[in-house]
Amino acid sequence: MRGAILSDLLTEILIPIAAFIGIVFSLIQWFIVSRVKVSPEPENRSSEKNKKNGYSDYLIEEEEGLNDHNIVVKCAEIQNAISEGATSFLFTEYQYVGVFMIAFAVLIFVFLGSVEGFSTKSQPCTYNKDKMCKPALATAIFSTVSFLLGAITSIVSGFLGMKIATYANARTTLEARKGVGKAFITAFRSGAVMGFLLSANGLLVLYIAINLFKVYYGDDWEGLFEAITGYGLGGSSMALFGRVGGGIYTKAADVGADLVGKVERNIPEDDPRNPAVIADNVGDNVGDIAGMGSDLFGSYAESSCAALVVASISSFGINHEFTSMCYPLLISSMGIIVCLITTLFATDFFEIKAVNEIEPALKKQLIISTVLMTIGIAIVSWIALPSSFTIFNFGVQKEVKNWELFFCVAIGLWAGLVIGFVTEYYTSNAYSPVQDVADSCRTGAATNVIFGLALGYKSVIIPIFAIAVSIFVSFSLAAMYGIAVAALGMLSTIATGLAIDAYGPISDNAGGIAEMAGMSHRIRERTDALDAAGNTTAAIGKGFAIGSAALVSLALFGAFVSRAAISTVDVLTPKVFIGLIVGAMLPYWFSAMTMKSVGSAALKMVEEVRRQFNTIPGLMEGHAKPDYATCVKISTDASLKEMIPPGALVMLTPLIVGSFFGVETLSGVLAGSLVSGVQIAISASNTGGAWDNAKKYIEAGASEHARTLGPKGSDPHKAAVIGDTIGDPLKDTSGPSLNILIKLMAVESLVFAPFFARHGGILFKIF
């Protein structure tokens, strides 16, 4: 049996180098985007500059004889308003979240420290009683530190993403004057800045934390990687508040703007006369960008932590094989390099010349990154793993070959691609499912809603089979470690996935700015085409997030069952079954809370927008300016108030169940919430995405069929707008938040497992 080819020293060097390459690449993309100026320059200077940079593009505005300077100034003003709104909301949200973060950190310390009565004496190891491990108090301290590290990294990831998006939106609008290709590259580069910064930061912080913790823990790798799980908990708990708070904000504004503006007043989307229009565009950044960034960072952190925990009690950890132990981090490092090459295909190797090339270009990104990553996984598996090793499998060590682990990661990667393409089929208006939904608008909103719901339920079938196959194959080959690395495989191309995902809201904002700045309809057509492709890719991104969440939470569930010393999870025992049925109910309870929150916030928004249209003289004629600030305040106040109950439900459930009912009941709750949460999340996201694109299909009027349903303002179009507004909270609040629910409950249970195993089940002990 040969050992790993890659030396420990080389591993120590390669992981941070890959992270630094990711950070440098993102800064280069940022620099290129920043060369698009959002301030009007004197005529002679700008013309000289254009020659110097090789630009010889004629602007549409110049052809049509419009005043270019006024347009640029307006774009800059609107960009500033959106950026200020997003920044002030996030700062306020982070103040609330900061209080929670400190309180929960104290809770972690108290619960884990009390396992051995805050003793500072060494204790027998959990999985090997002959060896002595560091005291429980050390686990409490280091778990708390890693929780805070994960939480801060998650917040920074979301905030940087929002800053990049608000920096790039007006630049994308201005580049749209030169052609759809230029606008696409600007939006995509900006998305890449976020994707690479987030994936590189996540990897670097985790790597530094492991090395710093190693100074204290020494040879006690079991304790070291148990403490590291706090990193995943911190990342996901912040993501929950970011997703729920941002989702409520964005959808309250969106629903209010659409219902009064489009349906009642018959004005276009993003019309500057609409009082909710700035809040709507701010919402795209705080929900779809900041929330999504934190969410995918959480998934990445948890899948890494789940794999590291299982590896630490397998032969890698027992024999202190550092390179093999860092296999999950090496996969992520390879992912950054692969995504860098993939990004160049979109930005440098191929140029987009027509609107119909946008969506294929984004899909090619997914295919190229998956194919290249498969080769990358093979290389990492060959050089970083021994030819044969053992993996912990519920109390026994299972022998595994390195090629079997390659298959585990690869099947996760390809299952992600399958889920992505199935999601695209059900949410893109290029295919029959969305066209059928659009066609159903002929007979009104009711049939549109029926068709949309049916589409969402049907879209669950293939992704669930893809997840089931990857679970079966990866577990058969490498037990729970196989499932953890399959989840990591799905997230290995996270930089490209995030770039594609962030591109959507940036394009959406660009279209809004074009409309508000009074640009020509030709520019709006270009930004609409970018946005429609972005809608589909956002749905693909959500599919990836949900699929990886299912695998991650199953891997964490396995680690929890092992850590809590549960021999079997028997569904026939009442303790487990009551947990199972309650767990299956939790996603419905959570969705009810988030949907109602959006509904009540949207109600206030609709009333305010109506009030302004009715009471501000000259608003409808465009002679007076609406009061944007009041609408921004309504969204901000509602989201901050309403994000707390759903967050409390998710965070407190494992603590209450584990403490009062014990680990068996908690294992049932985790299994139940996983099984039902995945189904609701996929159907909610796809239903909402289909309704949105059915509306865009009618508005674009690109085919004969679409023209028979239009134009904007027709009865079928109004029915489509109603479907879209119903789908908004489904696809952007409830659906994406559910994948955090299933992951977060699992990782929280794993972190608190020592306490639950020792002191849990108070009620059953009494009776």
Side-chain angles (χ1 to χ4, degrees):
M1 183 190 91
R2 70 158 179 84
I5 295 170
L6 196 65
S7 71
D8 289 357
L9 178 65
L10 212 51
T11 304
E12 294 265 12
I13 296 165
L14 287 177
I15 294 170
I17 283 178
F20 282 123
I21 288 171
I23 292 166
V24 168
F25 183 72
S26 67
L27 294 175
I28 291 167
Q29 300 301 312
W30 174 287
F31 173 72
I32 295 169
V33 170
S34 70
R35 284 165 58 192
V36 179
K37 297 297 174 212
V38 191
S39 53
E41 294 179 24
E43 295 285 328
N44 55 353
R45 269 177 59 206
S46 64
S47 62
E48 272 171 41
K49 245 188 187 176
N50 283 355
K51 281 175 198 158
K52 222 182 282 177
N53 288 336
Y55 288 129
S56 57
D57 307 294
Y58 286 103
L59 305 183
I60 293 174
E61 267 73 5
E62 286 171 11
E63 293 166 22
E64 296 177 3
L66 294 176
N67 187 333
D68 193 33
H69 283 260
N70 286 350
I71 293 276
V72 177
V73 169
K74 264 189 185 172
C75 283
E77 282 173 6
I78 297 160
Q79 182 194 37
N80 282 338
I82 293 169
S83 182
E84 281 170 21
T87 306
S88 71
F89 168 73
L90 285 181
F91 271 128
T92 316
E93 182 185 61
Y94 293 154
Q95 283 168 12
Y96 280 72
V97 167
V99 173
F100 157 80
M101 188 167 81
I102 292 160
F104 206 76
V106 171
L107 207 64
I108 292 171
F109 176 73
V110 170
F111 270 62
L112 294 184
S114 66
V115 171
E116 295 289 339
F118 297 96
S119 163
T120 52
K121 290 180 189 154
S122 294
Q123 55 180 12
C125 297
T126 309
Y127 300 97
N128 184 358
K129 300 293 180 190
D130 302 332
K131 273 179 73 185
M132 294 303 281
C133 284
K134 298 290 182 191
L137 188 64
T139 305
I141 294 166
F142 283 98
S143 293
T144 307
V145 170
S146 59
F147 167 78
L148 292 170
L149 269 178
I152 291 162
T153 312
S154 182
I155 285 173
V156 169
S157 301
F159 187 76
L160 285 177
M162 180 280 297
K163 274 294 181 199
I164 292 152
T166 53
Y167 183 79
N169 50 17
R171 287 171 166 78
T172 305
T173 309
L174 294 171
E175 286 293 271
R177 298 175 304 168
K178 299 175 185 171
V180 74
K182 298 269 190 218
F184 169 80
I185 286 177
T186 303
F188 191 80
R189 280 192 200 281
S190 311
V193 176
M194 179 184 175
F196 283 92
L197 263 185
L198 189 142
S199 52
N201 280 343
L203 175 65
L204 194 60
V205 175
L206 180 58
Y207 175 77
I208 291 168
I210 289 169
N211 278 293
L212 288 177
F213 285 19
K214 218 164 70 170
V215 174
Y216 170 77
Y217 275 98
D219 286 346
D220 178 12
W221 284 17
E222 183 190 298
L224 162 61
F225 290 102
E226 188 174 303
I228 284 288
T229 53
Y231 185 70
L233 176 60
S236 256
S237 54
M238 296 304 107
L240 177 71
F241 290 106
R243 261 296 194 197
V244 174
I248 294 167
Y249 185 108
T250 179
K251 291 305 119 183
D254 200 356
V255 171
D258 282 0
L259 282 180
V260 184
K262 287 195 205 165
V263 178
E264 293 178 11
R265 294 284 169 165
N266 220 2
I267 59 175
E269 187 162 4
D270 297 314
D271 193 295
R273 293 170 291 176
N274 194 326
V277 74
I278 292 287
D280 185 8
N281 281 288
V282 168
D284 288 337
N285 294 294
V286 297
D288 295 346
I289 297 270
M292 175 198 65
S294 293
D295 178 6
L296 282 175
F297 165 74
S299 282
Y300 162 74
E302 282 164 337
S303 57
S304 301
C305 291
L308 290 167
V309 165
V310 180
S312 70
I313 50 176
S314 304
S315 64
F316 302 156
I318 295 163
N319 303 332
H320 299 102
E321 296 166 7
F322 184 73
T323 298
S324 306
M325 192 71 216
C326 286
Y327 180 68
L329 302 186
L330 288 164
I331 291 285
S332 303
S333 305
M334 179 61 81
I336 290 172
I337 307 303
V338 162
C339 290
L340 192 154
I341 297 163
T342 308
T343 302
L344 296 176
F345 278 92
T347 56
D348 296 82
F349 299 160
F350 298 109
E351 195 184 342
I352 285 178
K353 293 186 174 70
V355 162
N356 60 358
E357 292 174 15
I358 300 168
E359 212 167 297
L362 292 169
K363 278 161 67 179
K364 274 182 200 151
Q365 284 286 297
L366 290 173
I367 296 166
I368 293 166
S369 63
T370 304
V371 171
L372 291 178
M373 193 61 207
T374 308
I375 300 163
I377 294 163
I379 294 166
V380 173
S381 302
W382 180 55
I383 63 170
L385 295 172
S387 57
S388 176
F389 46 89
T390 62
I391 294 292
F392 183 85
N393 180 24
F394 300 116
V396 295
Q397 294 285 346
K398 175 185 171 73
E399 188 157 320
V400 180
K401 304 272 192 293
N402 57 2
W403 61 265
E404 290 176 317
L405 221 47
F406 158 73
F407 275 114
C408 292
V409 186
I411 199 162
L413 177 68
W414 285 90
L417 191 69
V418 168
I419 293 169
F421 279 131
V422 170
T423 306
E424 190 228 1
Y425 174 73
Y426 280 105
T427 55
S428 168
N429 54 28
Y431 303 105
S432 59
V434 171
Q435 291 172 11
D436 290 345
V437 171
D439 193 63
S440 71
C441 295
R442 290 176 192 279
T443 47
T447 42
N448 180 27
V449 170
I450 293 165
F451 268 71
L453 287 172
L455 176 146
Y457 297 148
K458 196 177 175 186
S459 71
V460 173
I461 300 166
I462 298 172
I464 290 298
F465 277 120
I467 292 168
V469 168
S470 52
I471 287 170
F472 180 78
V473 173
S474 51
F475 187 83
S476 302
L477 292 174
M480 276 298 168
Y481 188 71
I483 293 171
V485 291
L488 206 64
M490 207 177 271
L491 291 163
S492 58
T493 53
I494 187 173
T496 295
L498 265 169
I500 292 170
D501 228 342
Y503 152 89
I506 291 169
S507 303
D508 193 356
N509 259 210
I513 291 170
E515 184 75 51
M516 285 185 269
M519 288 183 162
S520 74
H521 72 95
R522 287 165 66 185
I523 290 179
R524 183 70 219 221
E525 279 170 16
R526 288 173 179 180
T527 56
D528 277 353
L530 291 170
D531 183 24
N535 254 354
T536 304
T537 54
I540 292 172
K542 285 174 192 135
F544 265 92
I546 295 162
S548 62
L551 294 176
V552 167
S553 56
L554 184 58
L556 291 165
F557 175 69
F560 162 73
V561 168
S562 301
R563 182 63 188 84
I566 305 169
S567 49
T568 52
V569 179
D570 185 356
V571 181
L572 294 176
T573 56
K575 279 185 189 179
V576 175
F577 191 79
I578 58 167
L580 195 68
I581 203 159
V582 168
M585 171 273 296
L586 286 174
Y588 290 92
W589 188 0
F590 180 83
S591 298
M593 282 178 161
T594 50
M595 293 285 285
K596 192 166 183 296
S597 298
V598 172
S600 55
L603 199 67
K604 288 179 193 152
M605 188 67 77
V606 167
E607 285 166 356
E608 173 59 23
V609 175
R610 279 180 184 157
R611 183 194 69 74
Q612 291 197 31
F613 273 122
N614 293 332
T615 58
I616 299 177
L619 178 57
M620 198 59 196
E621 294 74 32
H623 303 316
K625 276 183 94 173
D627 176 10
Y628 297 127
T630 305
C631 291
V632 169
K633 189 175 185 316
I634 287 172
S635 262
T636 303
D637 292 348
S639 58
L640 293 174
K641 191 178 90 189
E642 302 282 357
M643 75 178 180
I644 294 164
L649 174 72
V650 178
M651 299 301 290
L652 295 178
T653 299
L655 292 177
I656 292 167
V657 174
S659 300
F660 290 102
F661 300 95
V663 286
E664 287 95 342
T665 308
L666 182 53
S667 64
V669 168
L670 295 178
S673 64
L674 165 62
V675 168
S676 81
V678 171
Q679 328 276 342
I680 305 169
I682 295 172
S683 67
S685 294
N686 290 350
T687 294
W691 276 328
D692 192 351
N693 274 341
K695 175 201 73 176
K696 283 194 164 61
Y697 175 74
I698 294 170
E699 287 175 350
S703 67
E704 192 58 47
H705 175 241
R707 284 190 285 276
T708 62
L709 298 168
K712 286 183 183 181
S714 66
D715 284 342
H717 177 248
K718 283 184 178 175
V721 171
I722 290 168
D724 177 33
T725 49
I726 297 168
D728 274 338
L730 284 172
K731 75 176 168 63
D732 289 323
T733 311
S734 295
S737 304
L738 279 171
N739 62 57
I740 303 176
L741 173 139
I742 57 178
K743 294 181 306 191
L744 185 50
M745 282 175 40
V747 74
E748 190 182 335
S749 302
L750 174 58
V751 169
F752 286 99
F755 176 82
F756 297 149
R758 178 64 61 93
H759 303 298
I762 296 165
L763 285 182
F764 290 132
K765 284 173 184 170
I766 294 168
F767 298 113

